[in-house]
Amino acid sequence: MSLLSRHRRARWAAITAVAAAAGVACASAVSAAPATPAAADRAAKHAPVIKHTGKAPTGYEVTFELYAPDAERVQIKGEWYFARPSELDPYAGTPEDPVVESPGIMPADWQAGDFPLASPNSTNPNWPVVDMVERGNSGVWTYTTPLPGGTFTYAYYVDCETADQSGCTPVADPSNLAWNVGDDGESAGSVVPNSQIYVPADADFDPSDTSWQEPVADGGTLELVTYDSPGHVSPVDENYMVVYTPPGYDAGRAEPYPTLYLSHGGGEDALGWSTQGALAPIMDNLIMSGEVQPMVVVMPNGNGYPASTENEAFRTDLIGTVFPYMEAHYNVSTEAADRAFSGLSAGGMRTNQLMLYNTDAFDYYGMMSAGMPPGTTLSDQQIADLQEASIFVGGGWQDVIHAVGFSIGTRQLHTGPLNEVRLLTDAGIHVSTDFVNGGHNWSVWRTLLRDFTTRVAFLPPTSAPPTS
């Protein structure tokens, strides 16, 4: 078994000092990631610069730079299409009209209350792609845009020849490396081909409070753990997970820590939440402000298991292998009352599967942006068990899966969160619901993570089970 631990807070503080937030990944074979100290120094000079302008529309603007001297064209793709609630019709998806049309408002036209929403609105990250401009013949390509408060994902395309970027590989910002990428460009575990920035909010233009996402200089620690996983297919007989330990984590504390298990979505892996999800700064802020108690967060890899009914292979490995590993290597509780499970999209489906078939493993379940399989019926025993659990169901009002679920071809994988709430409540099971403006995207899931941990996980039940 192997362990990688990297504490990137010093780098995050340094980037924030020049007004850019900690980032996510450096990317693929075509990435501009630095491979030498000289290249690393050059990349650092081109970190994103966040400037407080005090001017409309947002009070802040961000300048992105990429050093690509051999490129003929460089483009940037950013998580900054927006929608305006007052102009949406319908406001939320319905079975008759499931897709809320997204206007694709650009940052220059942003107004207070606007929220990120892909255009066209779908489960795909359909964000704007615009050309960057080379600064003279310096090989430095730049793009400046206003942005409101919050965390934003972005990536570069270098010499992409297709209008829709099909067949082109996005490149992460080499000045904004993931926590699991070293200064030499070498990585442990997977990397995602994008980066993140955090932008503060100017209250004169943007009344929203996004400070709970802001990088913290002395926060917790992220570790990439590889563990023995007999029967796992890829990698063979082993698997990996990311573990977050809170600020001031004490391996000898008399009271063991509660544990939140947090699952990624489709097309992602164990690194998703700690990169695009901004897990560490969110948890750091919530813990350091006293809004949640210190906890350990485990982000397992849900991929690479043999085919099984209702994800049984994943569930068996999680309970039979990951639980004992965590209890042997970290100061975490062995009680279900101190364990919570949550996940987004495909991770929301895993949440439901654990909730239905391993109800006694966790006392708290947080389902994000998914739903139950079509035709799901609950047995009397499942109903009785779920009445004892604390259940959270959330998603984006404008998510295309909100009212009708998600299908691949003619196969419907789930019926959506709206129908899940109805199924559970019709059975007499109390559900804490949390629907926010947004689609099938990270701005929603970061918010739901905050809300699940502050409103449901490790808190007393908000309703009593029915008496017999």
Side-chain angles (χ1 to χ4, degrees), residues 146-349:
L147 284 176
T151 302
F152 297 91
T153 292
Y154 68 99
Y156 299 121
Y157 288 98
V158 179
D159 290 332
C160 182
E161 298 179 355
T162 57
D164 62 356
Q165 291 76 50
S166 58
C168 299
T169 303
V171 176
D173 187 341
S175 71
N176 201 357
L177 300 175
W179 66 272
N180 67 318
V181 180
D183 293 332
D184 58 359
E186 295 296 320
S187 66
S190 65
V191 293
V192 291
N194 52 49
S195 300
Q196 277 72 49
I197 56 164
Y198 171 77
V199 181
D202 183 330
D204 289 339
F205 302 94
D206 181 4
S208 62
D209 178 12
T210 57
S211 60
W212 50 275
Q213 304 174 33
E214 184 174 5
V216 173
D218 297 313
T221 300
L222 294 168
E223 299 171 325
L224 180 66
V225 175
T226 301
Y227 66 95
D228 293 334
S229 177
H232 196 257
V233 175
S234 179
V236 176
D237 291 334
E238 66 177 20
N239 202 356
Y240 57 95
M241 57 188 170
V242 173
V243 178
Y244 165 88
T245 47
Y249 169 77
D250 181 1
R253 194 176 83 163
E255 181 183 358
Y257 291 86
T259 309
L260 167 62
Y261 287 80
L262 196 57
S263 186
H264 59 85
E268 299 162 354
D269 63 12
L271 273 295
W273 271 106
S274 64
T275 52
Q276 298 179 87
L279 177 281
I282 292 173
M283 295 307 302
D284 289 345
N285 280 290
L286 296 179
I287 291 169
M288 295 173 76
S289 68
E291 294 177 79
V292 303
Q293 63 178 300
M295 66 184 73
V296 172
V297 183
V298 180
M299 291 153 275
N301 172 41
N303 306 319
Y305 288 93
S308 61
T309 303
E310 302 293 353
N311 250 333
E312 183 178 7
F314 167 78
R315 293 185 285 114
T316 299
D317 182 60
L318 179 73
I319 296 169
T321 306
V322 175
F323 280 13
Y325 182 95
M326 290 301 302
E327 291 162 6
H329 294 82
Y330 296 87
N331 184 13
V332 296
S333 172
T334 62
E335 302 296 325
D338 295 319
R339 287 195 294 260
F341 193 97
S342 182
L344 68 93
S345 195
M349 295 176 65

Side-chain angles (χ1 to χ4, degrees), residues 30 74 122:
V30 298
V74 179
S122 78

Side-chain angles (χ1 to χ4, degrees), residues 255-443:
E255 181 183 358
Y257 291 86
T259 309
L260 167 62
Y261 287 80
L262 196 57
S263 186
H264 59 85
E268 299 162 354
D269 63 12
L271 273 295
W273 271 106
S274 64
T275 52
Q276 298 179 87
L279 177 281
I282 292 173
M283 295 307 302
D284 289 345
N285 280 290
L286 296 179
I287 291 169
M288 295 173 76
S289 68
E291 294 177 79
V292 303
Q293 63 178 300
M295 66 184 73
V296 172
V297 183
V298 180
M299 291 153 275
N301 172 41
N303 306 319
Y305 288 93
S308 61
T309 303
E310 302 293 353
N311 250 333
E312 183 178 7
F314 167 78
R315 293 185 285 114
T316 299
D317 182 60
L318 179 73
I319 296 169
T321 306
V322 175
F323 280 13
Y325 182 95
M326 290 301 302
E327 291 162 6
H329 294 82
Y330 296 87
N331 184 13
V332 296
S333 172
T334 62
E335 302 296 325
D338 295 319
R339 287 195 294 260
F341 193 97
S342 182
L344 68 93
S345 195
M349 295 176 65
R350 296 183 191 104
T351 304
N352 283 334
Q353 289 156 345
L354 284 159
M355 189 170 69
L356 292 177
Y357 305 112
N358 302 95
T359 312
D360 60 350
F362 302 88
D363 269 14
Y364 311 89
Y365 293 91
M367 199 288 302
M368 307 179 186
S369 303
M372 295 289 190
T376 297
T377 59
L378 302 176
S379 68
D380 291 343
Q381 185 60 56
Q382 286 174 320
I383 293 172
D385 291 342
L386 294 177
Q387 286 174 340
E388 300 288 341
S390 292
I391 299 172
F392 170 101
V393 176
W397 283 119
Q398 294 80 24
D399 194 332
V400 296
I401 61 95
H402 174 68
V404 296
F406 181 70
S407 300
I408 298 178
T410 60
R411 179 176 172 236
Q412 187 174 25
L413 298 183
H414 66 77
T415 60
L418 184 62
N419 290 303
E420 176 164 340
V421 172
R422 289 172 177 165
L423 173 71
L424 295 173
T425 56
D426 285 350
I429 298 165
H430 176 72
V431 180
S432 297
T433 60
D434 188 26
F435 292 98
V436 300
N437 281 332
H440 207 76
N441 53 276
W442 278 105
S443 66

